[in-house]
Amino acid sequence: MRFSPQQANPPNILFILADDLGYADLSCYGRRDYTTPNIDRLAGDGTRFTQAYANSAVCTATRVALITGRYQYRLRVGLEEPLANNPNVGLEPSHPTLPSLLKKAGYSSTLIGKWHLGVLPKFGPLKSGYDHFYGFRGGAVDYYSHSNQAARDDFWDDDVPLHQAGYLTELLGNRAVEVVEQYAKSRQPFLISLHFNAPHWPWEAPGDEAESQRLRSAGNGLFDLDGGSQATYQQMIEAMDRQIGRVLRALDAHGLTGNTVVIFTSDNGGERFADTWPFTGKKTELLEGGLRIPAVISWPGRIPRGRTTNQVAISMDWVPTLLAAAGTAPDPAYPSDGMNLLPTLTQNAPLVARKLYWRYKGNAQRAMRDGDLKFLKILGNTFLFDVVADPLERANLKDRRKDDYQRLVRQWHEWNATMLPEIKDSFTHGFSGEDLADHYGAKEPTQEPDVDR
C-alpha cells in the first residue's frame, strides 16, 4: 500500500499519551483482570507494536524527544529527570517541534493534558507551536483539586488559570470531544495531543474525592505512599479508556475517522501497580520494564487492520513519521534522530535493525540496544542480554560474548560523546543497592565507577 505525501487531503492526527502505563496494562497486551475495549479497538483497526520503547524511563525526558523527534540529551531540558522546581529550564521556544512544523504545513494544534516541559513566563505549549492548551504544566496534579505537589493550582486554559470542578481524566475527555467538534466545523487539518495524567499517582479513581481530601489534610502533597490498590489502578485506566472511546466516537460522528491517524502509547514504563510482564523493572529503570511501552497506531485506508509488528520503535520516531504523513519533514537544521515508520506500516517494508541509546543519572544507568542485544549498566554492574530470547534480562552474556559486549560499550561511549553531559543536580531514582543485590545477586559498589570499556 503506497502513500503519496502530496495528497490534497492531509490526515488529521490524534496523539494519545498515557502517563506511567505498563507494557501489559491493556487487554490487547495481555492484561487479564480487566479490559480496555476502546484502546483495543485502535489495535484491531491498525497495528500494534511489540517492541516499542520510550526515549527515557521518566517523564520530562521522553516528552522532549516526543515533541522534537531528537534524543532528549541534545537539549538542556532533556537532562532533567524529571523537571521540577527549575523555572529557568524548559523547552526553548526557538526549537522546532511537531506542532510548529505541522503549523507550517497548514495544521492547527491543541494540547490537552500534561505539558511538563517548562513553566511561564519563559516556556509553555503556546510558545512551542501549539495554538491552544487545556491542561497542566507540571509533572502531576491531584485529579480533583488540580493542584500540584506544592499545593498550588495548576490548571490552565491557554495561559489563563482555570478553576473547574471534576475528575481530571473526564475533563480532558470532555475538552477533547469539544475540540474534535470544533475542528470538524473548520475543516482544517489538526493535531490533537491528548496527554492524560492517568494512571500517574496520586492514586485516585472516579468518585475518590475523599482520598483527594485526605491527601490535602495530611499535608504530604500528592505523595500518597500509603495509598492506592490494584482496584484503584484498574479504575483509573478504565476511566481513561472510556474517555478515549468518547473521542473516537466523536471522530466517527463527524466522518473524520477514515483520514485520522490515531496513536496511543505511554511516556515510559509502569510504576507501582503496573503490569510490565514479560519484562523486569519499572519507571526510572533502564531494564525493559522501565522502557518497553505499549504503542498502537490506526489510520484506516492507509494502515492495514489487525496487524502486529516486531519493528523496534522509539518515542522520537513519531515526529518524522507524522510529518511524513502530513507531507512535510523535519527542519534540516534540527535533523531527527528518529525513523519514519510509514514504510513499515503502510508498505509492509522489511523490518529495520535499530541501534538505540539511553542513559539515566539515577544509579548511573546506561543502556544500548543493537539488534536483539542490549548492553545495560546499573551502578557498577554491567550486562549483555538478548532481550528477544531473554526478555526478563536474567542471562548475562557479557563473558560468553565478549566481543559483542565490548563493541556495544564502545559504541555507547561514542554516541554519548555527541550528547550534552549529564547535570549533577538531576533527580536520582531507581534501584537501591539492596534491591539490585536481590535482583542479580550483585553488590553495590562503594563508589560509582564508569562503564568499563
Side-chain angles (χ1 to χ4, degrees):
M1 182 177 298
R2 298 191 177 274
F3 165 62
S4 170
Q6 303 302 322
Q7 70 172 15
N9 189 21
N12 305 304
I13 300 167
L14 171 61
F15 195 102
I16 308 172
L17 189 66
D19 199 344
D20 294 356
L21 187 73
Y23 177 84
D25 276 336
L26 307 174
S27 45
C28 59
Y29 276 86
R31 190 88 193 204
R32 297 180 180 180
D33 49 339
Y34 60 81
T35 61
T36 50
N38 297 294
I39 302 170
D40 292 356
R41 168 192 163 180
L42 290 175
D45 287 345
T47 295
R48 180 176 66 92
F49 286 78
T50 62
Q51 298 197 61
Y53 284 92
N55 261 78
S56 175
V58 76
C59 176
T60 299
T62 287
R63 290 166 195 267
V64 172
L66 192 61
I67 198 171
T68 66
R70 310 176 78 210
Y71 276 114
Q72 62 271 22
Y73 320 103
R74 296 189 184 279
L75 289 79
R76 173 60 182 83
V77 63
L79 305 182
E80 300 287 337
E81 296 175 337
L83 178 63
N85 302 320
N86 196 339
N88 294 316
V89 174
L91 179 60
E92 291 294 338
S94 61
H95 197 292
T97 63
L98 177 62
S100 71
L101 292 166
L102 286 174
K103 181 180 293 188
K104 294 180 179 179
Y107 279 69
S108 179
S109 60
T110 300
L111 171 61
I112 301 169
K114 183 172 177 175
W115 168 244
H116 206 187
L117 294 176
V119 298
L120 291 173
K122 294 184 177 181
F123 314 105
L126 303 186
K127 297 179 181 295
S128 287
Y130 283 105
D131 297 303
H132 306 286
F133 170 55
Y134 173 89
F136 59 102
R137 300 177 184 277
V141 292
D142 186 276
Y143 285 78
Y144 286 96
S145 69
H146 313 145
S147 58
N148 59 21
Q149 292 96 317
R152 298 190 182 96
D153 291 345
D154 185 12
F155 201 17
W156 304 81
D157 194 346
D158 288 339
D159 286 342
V160 179
L162 180 65
H163 300 278
Q164 185 174 7
Y167 185 66
L168 187 54
T169 302
E170 296 172 356
L171 295 178
L172 299 180
N174 291 344
R175 177 56 66 95
V177 170
E178 293 172 2
V179 170
V180 167
E181 293 171 347
Q182 292 167 4
Y183 280 133
K185 294 177 181 177
S186 73
R187 299 187 178 181
Q188 182 179 12
F190 61 79
L191 163 67
I192 298 175
S193 299
L194 178 53
H195 293 185
F196 287 100
N197 56 324
H200 193 293
W201 47 262
W203 314 110
E204 297 170 358
D208 281 349
E209 292 96 334
E211 176 66 5
S212 173
Q213 181 59 46
R214 183 185 75 85
L215 291 177
R216 289 197 295 274
S217 300
N220 295 325
L222 306 181
F223 298 104
D224 55 340
L225 298 178
D226 61 345
S229 66
Q230 288 292 347
T232 297
Y233 187 73
Q234 170 182 337
Q235 292 167 33
M236 294 169 75
I237 293 175
E238 289 175 332
M240 176 176 65
D241 184 76
R242 283 195 297 273
Q243 298 309 311
I244 291 171
R246 293 182 60 217
V247 180
L248 296 180
R249 287 191 292 274
L251 293 174
D252 292 341
H254 292 282
L256 299 174
T257 300
N259 196 36
T260 300
V261 182
V262 183
I263 294 166
F264 175 88
T265 188
S266 181
D267 61 345
N268 46 248
E271 225 219 48
R272 186 191 307 178
F273 298 108
D275 186 350
T276 62
W277 181 259
F279 309 116
T280 302
K282 293 185 182 296
K283 176 183 177 180
T284 74
E285 298 163 2
L286 298 188
L287 291 154
E288 291 291 284
L291 292 172
R292 198 79 75 94
I293 51 176
V296 299
I297 181 171
S298 171
W299 188 9
R302 298 293 182 185
I303 296 176
R305 300 183 71 254
R307 282 192 176 178
T308 298
T309 181
N310 293 322
Q311 174 63 57
V312 175
I314 192 168
S315 307
M316 61 187 176
D317 291 342
W318 293 119
V319 167
T321 300
L322 293 172
L323 292 177
T328 187
D331 186 325
Y334 299 86
S336 177
D337 294 308
M339 165 183 151
N340 175 11
L341 298 168
L342 280 187
T344 299
L345 294 168
T346 66
Q347 301 170 23
N348 202 25
L351 301 183
V352 178
R354 306 291 299 275
K355 291 184 180 181
L356 302 176
Y357 303 86
W358 297 268
R359 71 185 192 203
Y360 191 74
K361 182 175 171 59
N363 288 333
Q365 297 177 76
R366 284 86 175 87
M368 175 190 175
R369 177 158 174 179
D370 183 2
D372 294 347
L373 293 178
K374 178 181 175 183
F375 156 65
L376 176 66
K377 173 184 177 288
I378 307 175
L379 294 172
N381 304 276
T382 54
F383 310 90
L384 180 71
F385 297 115
D386 181 331
V387 292
V388 174
D390 176 27
L392 278 172
E393 295 174 283
R394 299 292 183 178
N396 189 359
L397 305 175
K398 63 177 282 190
D399 293 329
R400 185 190 304 185
R401 302 181 63 170
K402 289 183 179 179
D403 290 346
D404 286 325
Y405 170 76
Q406 292 172 357
R407 173 175 56 84
L408 266 64
V409 171
R410 181 179 66 253
Q411 291 178 352
W412 186 92
H413 277 284
E414 292 170 351
W415 164 83
N416 190 53
T418 68
M419 300 292 139
L420 295 176
E422 289 174 307
I423 54 175
K424 293 182 179 180
D425 56 350
S426 176
F427 276 42
T428 57
H429 300 282
F431 271 145
S432 67
E434 180 180 354
D435 291 335
L436 188 66
D438 290 342
H439 189 75
Y440 287 114
K443 294 182 178 180
E444 182 179 10
T446 55
Q447 65 181 38
E448 179 185 300
D450 196 4
V451 179
D452 53 342
R453 295 179 185 267

